[in-house]
Amino acid sequence: MTCDNVVNRRTFLGRIVGFVLVGTFGVLKNSLAWATQEAGDRFIRLVGKTFGANRLSFEVLGRVYIRSLHGKPDLGPIVDTLLANTPGLSIAILHEDREQFRRIIANNVKKDFADGKIVAVEGYMLSQTEVALCQLFVLSNHFS
Amino acid sequence: MFIDGRTIENGQQLETEVCIIGAGAAGITLAREFSNMPFRVVLVESGGLKHDRVTQGLYKGANTGHPYYKLDEVRARYFGGSTNLWGGHCLPIRPMNFEARPWIPLSGWPITRKQLDPYYLRAHRTIGIGDYDYDPAALALRIGKKIFPFDHSRVITVASRYNPLRFGRKYEADIKKAENITTHLHSNVVSINQGRDSDSITDVEIKTLYGNHYSIRAKYFLLATGGIENARILLLSNNIQSSGLGNQNDLVGRHFMEHIWYPNGYIIPADQSVTFDFYIKQHRIADKVTTMAHLSLPEAVIRREQIPDFRAEIGLEQAPLWQYDALSARGTETNNGRGENLSRELDQRVLNILEEMESGPRSNTRKHRLIRYRLANYSEQVPNPDSRVTLGEKTDALGLRRVQLHWQLTELDKRGIRRAQELIAQEVGKAGFGRVRMELIKDEEILLKDARGGAHHMGTTRMGDDPKTSVVNKDCRIHGLKNLYVAGTSVFPTSGFANPTLTLVALAARLADHIQTRFHA
């Protein structure tokens, strides 16, 4: 993966994630183009700040999973999974509140397990949310 | 009194009231129950008081189905039977498994758990395993151990009791002393003979490895030679019914069941500093009695999921940590051919993510070894007519056809184990306790290739009300015969996940009561 690819992919991700965020939560309404990029950047930045200490672990499992798909990962379900309509998520993203964000993700992980939303990654039974995070780390590659 | 069958005169015809064939857990239990009763009992045992190679060799047979142990290595053929080998694991079959379960073909016992409870209590005394109490919370409290913090509506803990009592050694003196009991050692029943134009057994024919033979006439015959040999002796006993005794509906030997023992996968706990050793090793609760816990699923979950019953035994593994610095994330991609290394790395990666989800990164508290709870799945096997014991062409030292075992698992067996593991994985994650890894998950076909049994041979003379689907009735009497009974695991219509010895001893005590009632009548 070249540096340009990384930037392009990250920009692309930022737009998609931001678009979903704007659509879902109505955050940052000044202009759609700006809002999507900004919302996406905030989200990706927050993911990086919150879970970045172990980004390598997320990436490794993300790669293993993506390899098992025999194709490109589908970004739609990843974003849908991570941004599922969760109370407090938009506020956490807006304020880049790491603790709140971690709690929300951890709750979603538990809810996944309770609902049977489990994905096997090399036999490890992980929650959909965890696997989505793993893939997001691979796709955006660099979180600062 | 003990006598050596090899010293009995050739062609002699002996008489008694009750003839028990086999001196294992069931046979010895029956004999003890009859001790000093006002009728005579002969207890016939193939072996002596110690293991001998030639007698043990009579167990040899062929395996033609799913890979299985050598048949002469999973049983002991001398006084005390296979209690000379067992680990003493006791657990009653849970109530649901006595009922007809629509998703398990041919399920349903003709008796209830409640009816068996008083006999379980007696079996506890016979085996010497203390109180009839399997409450895991109470046992955990008693030994000061913790239970896994799971939602009990989703995953439960079950506790077992253990006392590897050698029935032969323990009860030899009692049986010797009983004036109404004569034990014949080194005496092999080669045929159970039905009277002509009669629905009764007249006598059993006995041969020894020394070459002499004799017979025993009795009022009642109780066959207690184990889950495979019970079927074999019935099939060999064809003086009137050419297909074998009790085999008018081609059921003797069918529905052979094991407990499917399938080590697969492990739990990586989030908290690496605590071990739940109630599940890992046996803990003493009384003189010679220990307890240990396992994971299982609530009856309501088994019903909802429509799977066979299931428990998982837990083992503790401490693997050396994968070295962070040795490989980069990119290195992982080239690490694929090195399974163990990759596995260790991924264990570590999963633990990192798990810690993130539970309380944030804790890398500075990391130990030097990674703890995993290994899962040894232990599932009920679905009754399957194609899983069966038949007579092979080869013969043994007595000239009898050796047994042939064709152990077969079904799709429901495979689905059950897999689904049960998924449900445990869900709860382990939901509780924030850890993450489960299931190995071999991708390929259904090889999912059970490593499956073995617990050396529990069940179902070959199954109990039921309908002669078209069972061999013995609820009193363990063979349908259509007035005086031939079967004791032991072969009468189990289904097995649940409980090790079978406690239940077979309970059933033997119940059969003893029934025989005594017949004498009174």
Side-chain angles (χ1 to χ4, degrees):
Chain A
M1 199 176 281
T2 66
C3 198
D4 282 349
N5 280 342
V6 171
V7 172
N8 288 342
R9 178 162 287 185
R10 186 175 169 204
T11 305
F12 174 69
L13 274 170
R15 282 188 184 281
I16 288 198
V17 173
F19 184 76
V20 174
L21 281 170
V22 168
T24 307
F25 305 116
V27 292
L28 303 172
K29 292 179 179 168
N30 292 347
S31 94
L32 189 62
W34 176 82
T36 53
Q37 183 63 55
E38 174 60 19
D41 280 350
R42 274 173 187 257
F43 177 74
I44 288 171
R45 206 160 49 230
L46 183 55
V47 170
K49 277 185 188 170
T50 310
F51 299 112
N54 276 308
R55 73 178 163 75
L56 205 54
S57 292
F58 283 99
E59 264 189 64
V60 167
L61 282 155
R63 278 189 197 152
V64 169
Y65 180 67
I66 288 167
R67 203 161 49 214
S68 74
L69 296 176
H70 303 298
K72 287 182 182 172
D74 191 350
L75 200 57
I78 296 172
V79 173
D80 284 349
T81 299
L82 289 172
L83 304 178
N85 195 3
T86 308
L89 182 59
S90 56
I91 302 297
I93 293 170
L94 192 62
H95 297 293
E96 297 191 26
D97 183 340
R98 288 161 59 179
E99 279 318 301
Q100 176 67 359
F101 183 62
R102 180 193 304 283
R103 269 196 296 276
I104 288 168
I105 292 292
N107 281 340
N108 285 351
V109 166
K110 286 202 168 77
K111 194 167 178 311
D112 283 350
F113 279 113
D115 296 343
K117 293 177 180 171
I118 292 182
V119 181
V121 181
E122 196 68 24
Y124 295 90
M125 308 300 280
L126 305 178
S127 89
Q128 265 185 13
T129 299
E130 286 171 320
V131 175
L133 265 182
C134 290
Q135 292 178 86
L136 195 66
F137 268 95
V138 175
L139 293 174
S140 58
N141 207 308
H142 284 289
F143 290 109
S144 51
Chain B
M1 179 173 51
F2 277 36
I3 59 176
D4 186 332
R6 294 172 296 190
T7 64
I8 294 176
E9 204 177 309
N10 218 12
Q12 199 166 340
Q13 203 169 71
L14 306 174
E15 285 209 19
T16 187
E17 270 79 47
V18 176
C19 177
I20 304 169
I21 306 163
I28 286 178
T29 300
L30 286 162
R32 284 189 70 239
E33 296 280 345
F34 295 146
S35 176
N36 300 316
M37 290 284 158
F39 49 82
R40 291 171 301 160
V41 177
V42 170
L43 175 59
V44 184
E45 167 55 40
S46 168
L49 292 175
K50 287 180 182 167
H51 170 90
D52 87 81
R53 195 177 47 82
V54 182
T55 304
Q56 186 67 24
L58 297 172
Y59 271 143
K60 279 185 183 161
N63 287 315
T64 57
H66 189 87
Y68 198 67
Y69 312 105
K70 288 182 177 172
L71 296 180
D72 56 326
E73 290 179 358
V74 286
R75 281 289 169 277
R77 200 170 175 120
Y78 62 102
F79 193 73
S82 298
T83 65
N84 289 300
L85 302 173
W86 77 316
H89 191 157
C90 293
L91 188 63
I93 294 176
R94 54 181 175 170
M96 170 188 71
N97 294 318
F98 288 86
E99 299 167 13
R101 290 166 284 163
W103 64 97
I104 305 282
L106 294 166
S107 60
W109 290 52
I111 56 174
T112 63
R113 162 69 184 269
K114 206 172 169 187
Q115 287 171 309
L116 201 56
D117 274 334
Y119 298 101
Y120 271 133
L121 190 63
R122 261 157 75 177
H124 263 240
R125 289 198 286 266
T126 303
I127 303 173
I129 44 171
D131 302 334
Y132 183 37
D133 171 18
Y134 289 84
D135 178 0
L139 288 167
L141 198 64
R142 199 159 145 189
I143 56 172
K145 300 293 173 190
K146 280 189 290 191
I147 281 181
F148 283 136
F150 299 143
D151 176 346
H152 292 179
S153 70
R154 300 168 71 102
V155 170
I156 57 170
T157 291
V158 292
S160 298
R161 286 167 173 263
Y162 300 79
N163 177 16
L165 182 78
R166 292 345 187 196
F167 276 49
R169 231 176 287 163
K170 172 78 177 172
Y171 293 121
E172 180 190 335
D174 289 354
I175 290 173
K176 212 177 256 177
K177 227 168 30 188
E179 288 187 357
N180 65 325
I181 301 176
T182 308
T183 301
H184 291 212
L185 299 174
H186 304 289
S187 300
N188 301 283
V189 169
V190 295
S191 180
I192 302 172
N193 297 325
Q194 186 178 350
R196 294 218 173 274
D197 305 320
S198 160
D199 51 8
S200 295
I201 301 302
T202 53
D203 65 309
V204 292
E205 222 172 297
I206 292 172
K207 272 188 186 172
T208 75
L209 286 167
Y210 273 27
N212 60 318
H213 61 90
Y214 63 100
S215 65
I216 299 174
R217 297 178 71 84
K219 206 167 178 183
Y220 301 111
F221 296 87
L222 316 180
L223 178 62
T225 57
I228 290 178
E229 284 292 298
N230 279 353
R232 182 184 179 215
I233 290 175
L234 291 174
L235 292 171
L236 286 167
S237 301
N238 56 2
N239 74 318
I240 301 292
Q241 292 183 40
S242 58
S243 61
L245 280 174
N247 200 26
Q248 54 275 25
N249 291 310
D250 188 23
L251 290 170
V252 172
R254 290 192 184 271
H255 306 101
F256 172 84
M257 299 179 295
E258 253 286 9
H259 282 119
I260 305 168
W261 182 64
Y262 177 49
N264 176 22
Y266 48 85
I267 300 170
I268 302 172
D271 187 346
Q272 290 276 309
S273 65
V274 182
T275 55
F276 286 76
D277 64 353
F278 187 19
Y279 301 80
I280 294 161
K281 58 184 181 189
Q282 295 177 23
H283 302 270
R284 193 171 176 275
I285 46 172
D287 184 32
K288 295 177 183 166
V289 185
T290 57
T291 184
M292 188 165 74
H294 325 284
L295 284 181
S296 182
L297 300 170
E299 288 190 354
V301 172
I302 296 284
R303 286 180 201 280
R304 185 194 69 212
E305 298 290 334
Q306 305 206 333
I307 55 177
D309 212 353
F310 173 91
R311 74 180 167 87
E313 294 183 351
I314 310 293
L316 183 69
E317 288 180 342
Q318 297 191 51
L321 277 190
W322 173 75
Q323 295 300 310
Y324 280 105
D325 301 332
L327 293 165
S328 67
R330 199 155 292 180
T332 300
E333 291 184 356
T334 61
N335 194 16
N336 210 12
R338 290 177 281 159
E340 180 54 26
N341 210 13
L342 175 65
S343 176
R344 277 170 53 203
E345 175 182 351
L346 293 182
D347 281 355
Q348 191 63 61
R349 300 292 185 199
V350 167
L351 179 60
N352 291 345
I353 292 174
L354 180 53
E355 288 176 345
E356 284 277 11
M357 293 304 161
E358 293 311 315
S359 55
R362 278 185 280 181
S363 53
N364 54 345
T365 62
R366 186 67 40 76
K367 289 181 166 186
H368 298 295
R369 302 182 83 75
L370 187 136
I371 288 174
R372 310 190 296 200
Y373 294 107
R374 172 66 58 179
L375 294 168
N377 306 293
Y378 204 79
S379 174
E380 173 182 32
Q381 181 183 349
V382 175
N384 170 16
D386 296 328
S387 178
R388 66 185 299 199
V389 169
T390 54
L391 299 176
E393 292 309 314
K394 289 185 178 168
T395 54
D396 66 14
L398 296 163
L400 302 176
R401 288 170 72 185
R402 288 194 184 278
V403 82
Q404 188 167 282
L405 175 64
H406 193 69
W407 183 32
Q408 289 287 285
L409 304 174
T410 64
E411 286 307 310
L412 181 53
D413 292 313
K414 295 177 191 174
R415 184 172 75 77
I417 288 184
R418 182 184 174 132
R419 183 63 184 143
Q421 278 203 286
E422 283 172 359
L423 292 167
I424 287 177
Q426 282 181 24
E427 178 54 22
V428 167
K430 176 180 161 278
F433 181 78
R435 297 289 179 269
V436 168
R437 185 179 191 204
M438 287 168 60
E439 293 148 327
L440 301 175
I441 193 170
K442 288 180 198 158
D443 192 340
E444 282 285 349
E445 288 310 305
I446 60 166
L447 186 67
L448 285 176
K449 81 174 171 50
D450 293 328
R452 293 290 180 274
H456 305 152
H457 305 156
M458 301 171 285
T460 55
T461 64
R462 62 200 321 270
M463 184 197 281
D465 291 325
D466 183 357
K468 290 203 171 67
T469 55
S470 59
V471 176
V472 301
N473 70 7
K474 67 179 177 186
D475 296 323
C476 297
R477 181 170 57 77
I478 291 195
H479 291 299
L481 291 170
K482 279 183 174 167
N483 61 344
L484 177 57
Y485 293 83
V486 181
T489 51
S490 64
V491 305
F492 291 14
T494 54
S495 71
F497 59 63
N499 287 38
T501 303
L502 180 70
T503 302
L504 84 85
V505 170
L507 285 171
R510 183 172 170 272
L511 174 56
D513 275 7
H514 173 76
I515 296 293
Q516 287 175 49
T517 310
R518 287 198 69 177
F519 272 109
H520 291 313

